[in-house]
Amino acid sequence: MTFTKYKSYKRLRSLAKKPIDLSKEGVLTPNRINRMVATSLNMKLFYGTERVDEEVMSNLAILAEESGAIAKMHDMQSGAKLNKIEGYESEDRMVLHTAMRDFFEDKNKAPAAKDASDLAYKEVEKLKAFCAELDKEGKIKHVVQVGIGGSDLGPRAIYLSLKSFETGNRKIHFLSNVDPDDAAAILLEVDLKHTLVVVVSKSGSTLETRTNEQFFVQKFKEKGIDPKKHMVAVTGKGSPMDNPELYRQSFYIWDYIGGRYSVTSMVGGVTIALAIGMENYMNFLRGASAMDKVALHSSPHMNLPLMGALLGIWNRNFLDLPTLAIIPYSNAMIRFPAHLQQCDMESNGKHILKDGSHVDFETGPIIWGEPGTNGQHSFYQLIHQGTTTVPVEFIGFRNSQYHVDVDVEGTCSQEKLLSNLFAQSIGLATGKHSDNPNKVFEGNRPNRVLFASQCDPYTVGSLLSYFENKVAFQGFIWGINSFDQEGVQLGKVLANQFIDLFRKKAKGEKLNRADFPLGQAFIDQIDGFKMEKPKFGKPLSA
Amino acid sequence: MTFTKYKSYKRLRSLAKKPIDLSKEGVLTPNRINRMVATSLNMKLFYGTERVDEEVMSNLAILAEESGAIAKMHDMQSGAKLNKIEGYESEDRMVLHTAMRDFFEDKNKAPAAKDASDLAYKEVEKLKAFCAELDKEGKIKHVVQVGIGGSDLGPRAIYLSLKSFETGNRKIHFLSNVDPDDAAAILLEVDLKHTLVVVVSKSGSTLETRTNEQFFVQKFKEKGIDPKKHMVAVTGKGSPMDNPELYRQSFYIWDYIGGRYSVTSMVGGVTIALAIGMENYMNFLRGASAMDKVALHSSPHMNLPLMGALLGIWNRNFLDLPTLAIIPYSNAMIRFPAHLQQCDMESNGKHILKDGSHVDFETGPIIWGEPGTNGQHSFYQLIHQGTTTVPVEFIGFRNSQYHVDVDVEGTCSQEKLLSNLFAQSIGLATGKHSDNPNKVFEGNRPNRVLFASQCDPYTVGSLLSYFENKVAFQGFIWGINSFDQEGVQLGKVLANQFIDLFRKKAKGEKLNRADFPLGQAFIDQIDGFKMEKPKFGKPLSA
């Protein structure tokens, strides 16, 4: 049975023809706000401002049952080979990122999960010793994480979210882009003698990462520094980077950890622990693992990731909304949307079901967002009055991180921040009438607010796991494989053809025009690229 | 006559039923790539990978004529009151951001434009003197720009794009969010004795900005430093901030400069010039002004902003694509997409025509993006294989900024970067067949590449103006007002009601439940917000 064949699908399609009108007076009430709250751990989800009523909610719960979402979550966390396409060559792997943090309560007892968790914990112990060693030496003042995609976005987002918890022992940098200016700019900020480079690539062959690694190897050598003493590897066993001769220390990951789900493995672990210390890092893992357990609960009201997934599917497949804005009212979370953009879009931006047949419905939405209140002074105009409706997932915290604040006109900044958050949630839902058409707000912009006490390690771990598991649930319900990424292959193949052309050109080899004529055309265009000499007049002053 | 009534609209609607199939063999050829190039100044636009043919292009050119787009651009640059809604209360203002840089060739001779440009140049001269003064003193080592929205995103995007051109005399920081952690984090990085705070708010009453200003005033006072000697104002004449008693120096802007178009006024000018020096800053203005002149050219092929606008309208209104990804293959441009998100979505996320009637077509798309190659390891999966087609506007440069590079396997990083850029452009268009459904790329993902020699001040100015004028052209063609932002008002009103509740609560005043019951409900929820004590088990090691 597939998504559009479920009974609940048909019922929800019919309910979506006339969703609740939040702009009507008396619909969004205090009672509705208080009733429509789901709670898990230290987090609440306010969803009274979504376009759902009790009937929609109960049919969404049926959808979860019909699709076996909870059973699949159990399977995933227990080591089932969910990363595959039936009947076709595919990755055919387990999906065990939850095991990377399953060190605390209610540990999964399935053998595969237990093995993975035991292996992961050995890396954690290695990391603990490594951090202590660096602390004792006191020589490393800069850490540069070299990685891209999952080896960059997640670790960076988490690091920035928890920067206020830094030990202060060293400065953290991230290098991802093959753009040489990215590396050059970081080189200006570090002192190579006191720099540790953490090279992260599961395959050990990522073009950007290996290139940037060579960039640093060369710079170390130019300064007469032994690169080995300053480089750490995080890679898969047996990868081209699995060569302890070249690195001061090697940490391992496994094929059942997808890049975009790898933050809680050593991919994020090394740099995050070096930044915020082992104790904070372990609390981050605790929060993530606790939310993994929540994701096994059968009632959506006590299972925040499932609840988020179902509301998202309502907006995507029944209200037909193509995007989702994720807007944290916390500046520390500035790169969280970029990480979730990867986690969600790379997981669920798919066009086939798990049996290889083409989907007949919409899969993952386009994820985007910036922190509030900043966004209010930017793209909120379109969210309030544009022609494309944008559902919003807000994130907010009761308390600030630094506890440094200012009282202006009787309220502190944190209160102003929260006032703006909830004002937007209400305003987007209710809208506002006016006789001036330019001051009309149509309302019915669905949104929800995920709320916690503070953006601290435990909570950031829980939030990360909330989103990871929400994405997985959506994939389960749609019946797609959320764990591969075949869509990135074509670009790699073509880029290598281009690189070949550049290499041959540099060597003065003759190019065969029949090989890659489109590439040739662009290379000719680039070569012929001349800057028209701009004619400058004299400025007014002269 | 309105957008959907133009002859070309009907013709284009009909052509859009069967757009050119770029995935068909022999359609995307070297000849097509070489033919479909538009050139202006030092920039080329490759659009052979868009789903257009000659007939579509000529009808788009007719659409530009029918809508009087060029005439309106002339009007705008000459000081016509384009910021208004006919028959209703509206801002009723001129739109003269182009005058902020009209100091070079072919200066606009219209009196309003000339006056605006003369006034603007006086501020430039003040700025020049101010920079020289600071350089001479040598005391200021940190500059903190306090502003939000247009007073933050544009200046920040340009500063980062040109960071490699910094004089190195001082470190630049941006503070925007009312989140107290944003201010607290910056406070940790500066030495107040050597810090200049540039407070930017046209209205002089922006909540976030005035709050953050007070944050710094208080911190200066705590350290026994006279705030006046360390604060600069950029504001409108007569605003609550127009009080030279409180600031070491005041710079002015005018009501005809919209926040999102204010980068080339003193809003961006002060901090950018302090960062990169006056000479680089003037080249940045030159580039912007030169592209403004290009925008007056009647042929789309010689008018890059118009060309970009028309291709965008084809994708948005005829191919019905709801978003646009802007992806610079340059890490320096990392915040350019966030700026353009504001510039475009706040301008064209509108639901009424200029006569107040409701639009019967889609207006501005959702703008989002991250630099390449980073995005390739993130959301490109969805772009290649997702169910929602995403048009892409790529930006690329022949040369790097720092000229620091590494040769790995016969090519340098800059060549690898460009290989990836053009590989994606081709791959998205052509797609790829396969017997494995998971390896099928459907292609026909429309995209274009904007290409220049280097990300330098002149080019960044041209690019900024390209996008500003592209957005304005789309507004002209749709017949909407791209220059107001009524959609941000409701949130402000509701936020102030929330802030009132917080203020009364803090004072112990009794709240009247009838006043703002929805606000009360959320405040009760926040108050009642308790963190469930997470139960921590012992980790495995114990």
Side-chain angles (χ1 to χ4, degrees):
Chain A
M1 189 99 105
T2 56
F3 182 60
T4 54
K5 297 288 178 296
Y6 296 131
K7 271 190 202 162
S8 52
Y9 177 88
K10 278 156 209 154
R11 184 72 196 119
L12 286 163
R13 261 267 153 241
S14 141
L15 289 169
K17 282 180 196 149
K18 229 188 150 181
I20 191 165
D21 182 355
L22 297 170
S23 74
K24 236 171 85 181
E25 204 163 324
V27 170
L28 184 59
T29 59
N31 180 281
R32 183 179 161 95
I33 287 171
N34 291 327
R35 204 172 67 240
M36 292 187 153
V37 188
T39 308
S40 293
L41 301 178
N42 58 344
M43 230 174 269
K44 287 190 178 189
L45 177 65
F46 299 107
Y47 65 96
T49 44
E50 291 278 354
R51 297 194 73 182
V52 293
D53 55 22
E54 313 298 345
E55 197 177 355
V56 169
M57 291 312 297
S58 63
N59 276 283
L60 287 171
I62 296 169
L63 177 62
E65 276 171 40
E66 284 189 279
S67 58
I70 298 291
K72 284 176 188 155
M73 179 57 72
H74 268 284
D75 291 349
M76 184 189 89
Q77 295 194 15
S78 304
K81 284 200 175 174
L82 295 184
N83 177 4
K84 71 169 165 191
I85 302 292
E86 301 287 344
Y88 294 95
E89 188 210 328
S90 64
E91 291 193 327
D92 206 13
R93 292 178 187 165
M94 302 187 289
V95 180
L96 275 173
H97 49 276
T98 50
M100 299 300 100
R101 56 229 186 190
D102 191 16
F103 310 141
F104 309 96
E105 298 249 300
D106 302 323
K107 291 194 282 277
N108 195 305
K109 291 176 186 65
K114 197 178 169 310
D115 288 353
S117 159
D118 288 349
L119 278 171
Y121 200 76
K122 277 192 193 143
E123 298 301 311
V124 169
E125 288 191 317
K126 270 165 64 181
L127 176 59
K128 198 173 165 186
F130 182 67
C131 287
E133 189 182 309
L134 286 198
D135 283 346
K136 205 176 149 197
E137 282 179 18
K139 275 174 65 181
I140 294 300
K141 301 294 178 197
H142 293 271
V143 174
V144 181
Q145 170 133 350
V146 177
I148 195 164
S151 303
D152 169 54
L153 293 165
R156 199 191 288 246
I158 301 301
Y159 163 68
L160 290 173
S161 296
L162 298 175
K163 193 167 167 15
S164 63
F165 292 83
E166 271 184 315
T167 61
N169 295 342
R170 39 194 85 87
K171 209 162 175 296
I172 309 295
H173 313 260
F174 289 89
L175 171 56
S176 51
N177 206 321
V178 74
D179 178 353
D181 290 333
D182 196 9
I186 288 171
L187 197 64
L188 290 174
E189 291 183 11
V190 301
D191 176 355
L192 287 174
K193 280 200 301 292
H194 300 288
T195 296
L196 182 78
V197 177
V198 181
V199 187
V200 186
S201 169
K202 183 167 79 171
S203 69
S205 62
T206 314
L207 171 84
E208 290 88 341
T209 304
R210 299 311 305 268
T211 302
N212 281 324
E213 177 183 5
Q214 284 314 307
F215 186 96
F216 270 92
V217 166
Q218 194 174 307
K219 296 300 164 195
F220 280 127
K221 286 183 178 165
E222 282 171 14
K223 293 261 177 197
I225 299 168
D226 177 5
K228 183 184 167 171
K229 294 189 178 150
H230 291 260
M231 319 261 315
V232 165
V234 180
T235 192
K237 273 266 186 202
S239 94
M241 264 172 66
D242 182 12
N243 182 354
E245 293 298 305
L246 296 176
Y247 303 97
R248 171 179 174 157
Q249 176 80 263
S250 294
F251 295 96
Y252 293 106
I253 43 178
W254 302 272
D255 74 351
Y256 44 75
I257 308 301
R260 57 194 174 276
Y261 296 100
S262 67
V263 196
T264 54
S265 75
M266 287 301 112
V267 167
V270 178
T271 295
I272 296 171
L274 285 172
I276 64 175
M278 274 312 281
E279 197 185 327
N280 282 324
Y281 178 65
M282 291 308 283
N283 277 334
F284 163 67
L285 295 187
R286 272 179 218 272
S289 183
M291 190 60 88
D292 293 338
K293 309 299 172 186
V294 164
L296 299 169
H297 205 289
S298 60
S299 156
H301 264 86
M302 303 186 68
N303 183 334
L304 241 59
L306 179 59
M307 188 71 168
L310 293 171
L311 291 168
I313 283 181
W314 170 250
N315 288 331
R316 177 64 167 150
N317 298 100
F318 300 98
L319 301 186
D320 300 319
L321 305 176
T323 81
L324 168 66
I326 296 177
I327 304 183
Y329 273 65
S330 159
N331 222 65
M333 296 190 79
I334 186 159
R335 295 301 287 168
F336 225 72
H339 169 55
L340 299 177
Q341 193 172 60
Q342 172 187 40
C343 187
D344 201 325
M345 293 172 73
E346 194 163 68
S347 294
N348 290 339
K350 302 286 165 72
H351 64 173
I352 57 166
L353 297 174
K354 288 203 68 181
D355 64 2
S357 61
H358 205 281
V359 296
D360 58 347
F361 55 90
E362 301 288 345
T363 58
I366 292 156
I367 306 290
W368 59 285
E370 290 284 332
T373 59
N374 290 17
Q376 292 176 207
H377 297 260
S378 169
F379 50 79
Y380 275 47
Q381 165 68 40
L382 184 147
I383 299 191
H384 280 285
Q385 292 190 322
T387 56
T388 299
T389 300
V390 177
V392 183
E393 186 153 22
F394 291 111
I395 301 170
F397 302 99
R398 180 68 187 92
N399 304 293
S400 69
Q401 291 182 314
Y402 287 100
H403 304 297
V404 177
D405 208 323
V406 61
D407 185 305
V408 177
E409 294 175 16
T411 58
C412 66
S413 291
Q414 184 67 19
E415 287 168 334
K416 292 185 182 79
L417 181 66
L418 292 178
S419 295
N420 276 279
L421 162 58
F422 289 111
Q424 291 296 337
S425 175
I426 292 173
L428 287 166
T430 62
K432 191 167 172 284
H433 301 289
S434 171
D435 292 334
N436 183 336
N438 207 17
K439 295 180 192 293
V440 168
F441 292 79
E442 289 164 6
N444 280 321
R445 269 61 175 165
N447 69 85
R448 55 185 173 277
V449 182
L450 204 53
F451 202 78
S453 178
Q454 197 199 27
C455 184
D456 56 29
Y458 182 88
T459 303
V460 168
S462 309
L463 273 170
L464 176 76
S465 161
Y466 162 84
F467 282 104
E468 286 181 356
N469 288 313
K470 177 191 136 185
V471 167
F473 273 130
Q474 293 190 332
F476 295 153
I477 294 169
W478 285 325
I480 60 179
N481 179 2
S482 302
F483 307 108
D484 66 355
Q485 54 283 321
E486 288 292 342
V488 307
Q489 295 307 321
L490 174 58
K492 286 187 193 172
V493 172
L494 291 173
N496 282 329
Q497 292 185 35
F498 259 103
I499 291 172
D500 263 348
L501 293 182
F502 273 118
R503 184 184 297 122
K504 285 183 181 161
K505 257 192 72 173
K507 280 196 192 163
E509 287 179 25
K510 208 169 153 24
L511 301 175
N512 180 356
R513 293 221 151 242
D515 271 353
F516 184 26
L518 294 176
Q520 280 289 325
F522 273 121
I523 289 203
D524 287 349
Q525 283 284 353
I526 294 174
D527 270 351
F529 196 82
K530 285 189 200 87
M531 195 162 157
E532 266 184 51
K533 202 155 181 93
K535 288 173 294 178
F536 294 145
K538 288 194 181 162
L540 285 179
S541 64
Chain B
M1 189 96 108
T2 57
F3 181 60
T4 54
K5 298 288 178 296
Y6 295 131
K7 270 190 203 164
S8 51
Y9 177 88
K10 276 156 211 155
R11 185 72 197 120
L12 287 163
R13 261 266 152 243
S14 139
L15 289 170
K17 281 179 198 150
K18 231 189 150 182
I20 190 166
D21 182 356
L22 298 170
S23 74
K24 236 171 87 180
E25 202 161 327
V27 171
L28 184 60
T29 58
N31 181 280
R32 183 178 159 96
I33 287 170
N34 292 326
R35 204 172 67 239
M36 292 188 155
V37 188
T39 307
S40 292
L41 302 176
N42 57 343
M43 230 173 269
K44 287 190 179 188
L45 177 65
F46 299 108
Y47 64 97
T49 44
E50 293 277 354
R51 296 193 74 183
V52 293
D53 55 22
E54 314 297 344
E55 197 178 355
V56 169
M57 291 314 295
S58 65
N59 276 282
L60 286 172
I62 296 170
L63 177 62
E65 277 172 39
E66 282 189 280
S67 59
I70 298 292
K72 284 175 187 154
M73 180 57 74
H74 268 284
D75 291 348
M76 185 189 88
Q77 296 193 16
S78 304
K81 284 200 174 174
L82 294 184
N83 177 3
K84 72 169 164 191
I85 302 293
E86 301 288 345
Y88 294 94
E89 188 210 329
S90 65
E91 291 192 326
D92 206 13
R93 293 176 186 164
M94 303 187 289
V95 179
L96 275 173
H97 49 274
T98 50
M100 299 300 99
R101 56 231 187 187
D102 190 15
F103 311 141
F104 310 96
E105 298 249 301
D106 302 324
K107 287 194 283 278
N108 194 305
K109 291 176 187 66
K114 197 180 169 308
D115 287 355
S117 158
D118 287 350
L119 277 171
Y121 200 75
K122 278 190 190 142
E123 298 301 310
V124 169
E125 288 191 317
K126 270 164 65 182
L127 175 60
K128 198 173 165 185
F130 182 68
C131 288
E133 192 182 309
L134 286 197
D135 282 346
K136 206 176 149 197
E137 280 179 19
K139 274 172 66 181
I140 295 300
K141 300 294 178 199
H142 294 272
V143 175
V144 181
Q145 169 132 348
V146 177
I148 195 164
S151 302
D152 170 54
L153 293 165
R156 199 191 288 247
I158 301 301
Y159 163 68
L160 290 174
S161 296
L162 298 175
K163 194 168 168 9
S164 62
F165 291 84
E166 270 184 315
T167 61
N169 294 341
R170 41 193 82 88
K171 208 163 176 295
I172 308 294
H173 313 261
F174 288 89
L175 171 56
S176 51
N177 206 322
V178 75
D179 179 353
D181 290 334
D182 197 8
I186 288 170
L187 197 64
L188 289 174
E189 290 184 12
V190 301
D191 176 356
L192 288 174
K193 281 199 301 293
H194 300 288
T195 297
L196 182 78
V197 177
V198 182
V199 187
V200 187
S201 168
K202 184 167 77 171
S203 70
S205 63
T206 313
L207 171 84
E208 290 87 342
T209 304
R210 298 312 303 270
T211 301
N212 281 324
E213 177 183 5
Q214 286 312 307
F215 185 96
F216 269 94
V217 166
Q218 193 174 307
K219 297 298 166 198
F220 280 128
K221 286 183 178 166
E222 283 171 13
K223 292 260 177 197
I225 299 168
D226 178 5
K228 185 184 163 167
K229 294 188 179 151
H230 292 261
M231 320 265 307
V232 165
V234 181
T235 192
K237 272 267 187 201
S239 94
M241 264 171 66
D242 182 11
N243 182 354
E245 293 298 305
L246 296 177
Y247 302 98
R248 171 179 175 156
Q249 176 82 261
S250 294
F251 294 96
Y252 293 107
I253 43 178
W254 302 272
D255 73 351
Y256 45 74
I257 307 302
R260 57 194 173 274
Y261 296 100
S262 66
V263 197
T264 55
S265 74
M266 286 301 112
V267 166
V270 178
T271 295
I272 297 170
L274 285 172
I276 64 175
M278 276 310 283
E279 196 184 327
N280 282 324
Y281 178 63
M282 292 308 284
N283 276 335
F284 163 66
L285 295 186
R286 273 178 219 270
S289 183
M291 190 60 87
D292 293 338
K293 310 298 173 189
V294 164
L296 299 168
H297 206 288
S298 59
S299 156
H301 264 85
M302 303 185 68
N303 182 335
L304 242 57
L306 178 60
M307 189 70 167
L310 293 170
L311 291 168
I313 283 180
W314 170 250
N315 288 331
R316 176 65 167 149
N317 298 100
F318 299 98
L319 301 186
D320 299 320
L321 305 176
T323 81
L324 168 66
I326 297 177
I327 303 183
Y329 273 65
S330 158
N331 223 62
M333 295 192 81
I334 186 159
R335 295 300 287 166
F336 225 72
H339 169 55
L340 299 176
Q341 193 172 57
Q342 171 186 42
C343 188
D344 201 323
M345 292 173 73
E346 193 163 68
S347 295
N348 290 339
K350 301 288 165 71
H351 63 173
I352 59 167
L353 297 174
K354 289 203 68 182
D355 64 2
S357 60
H358 205 281
V359 297
D360 58 347
F361 55 89
E362 301 287 347
T363 58
I366 291 156
I367 306 290
W368 59 284
E370 292 283 332
T373 59
N374 290 16
Q376 291 175 206
H377 297 260
S378 169
F379 50 80
Y380 276 47
Q381 165 68 39
L382 185 146
I383 299 191
H384 280 285
Q385 291 190 322
T387 56
T388 300
T389 300
V390 177
V392 184
E393 187 153 20
F394 290 110
I395 301 171
F397 302 99
R398 181 67 187 92
N399 303 294
S400 68
Q401 290 183 315
Y402 288 99
H403 304 297
V404 177
D405 208 322
V406 60
D407 185 304
V408 177
E409 294 175 19
T411 58
C412 66
S413 291
Q414 185 66 20
E415 286 167 335
K416 293 184 181 81
L417 181 67
L418 292 178
S419 294
N420 276 279
L421 163 58
F422 290 111
Q424 292 296 337
S425 176
I426 292 173
L428 287 167
T430 61
K432 190 167 171 284
H433 302 287
S434 171
D435 292 333
N436 183 335
N438 208 17
K439 295 181 192 292
V440 169
F441 293 79
E442 290 164 4
N444 280 321
R445 269 62 175 165
N447 69 83
R448 54 186 174 278
V449 182
L450 204 53
F451 202 79
S453 178
Q454 197 199 27
C455 185
D456 58 27
Y458 182 88
T459 303
V460 168
S462 309
L463 273 169
L464 176 75
S465 162
Y466 163 84
F467 282 104
E468 286 181 355
N469 287 312
K470 176 191 138 186
V471 167
F473 273 129
Q474 294 191 331
F476 295 153
I477 293 168
W478 286 326
I480 60 178
N481 179 2
S482 303
F483 307 108
D484 65 357
Q485 53 282 323
E486 288 293 342
V488 307
Q489 295 307 321
L490 174 60
K492 285 187 193 172
V493 172
L494 291 172
N496 282 328
Q497 291 185 35
F498 259 102
I499 291 171
D500 263 348
L501 294 181
F502 273 118
R503 185 185 295 121
K504 285 182 181 162
K505 258 192 70 172
K507 280 194 190 166
E509 286 179 28
K510 206 168 152 33
L511 300 176
N512 180 355
R513 293 223 151 241
D515 271 355
F516 186 25
L518 294 176
Q520 280 289 324
F522 273 123
I523 289 205
D524 288 349
Q525 284 282 354
I526 295 173
D527 270 351
F529 196 83
K530 287 189 200 85
M531 199 160 152
E532 266 184 51
K533 203 158 179 90
K535 288 172 293 181
F536 294 144
K538 291 193 179 164
L540 286 180
S541 62

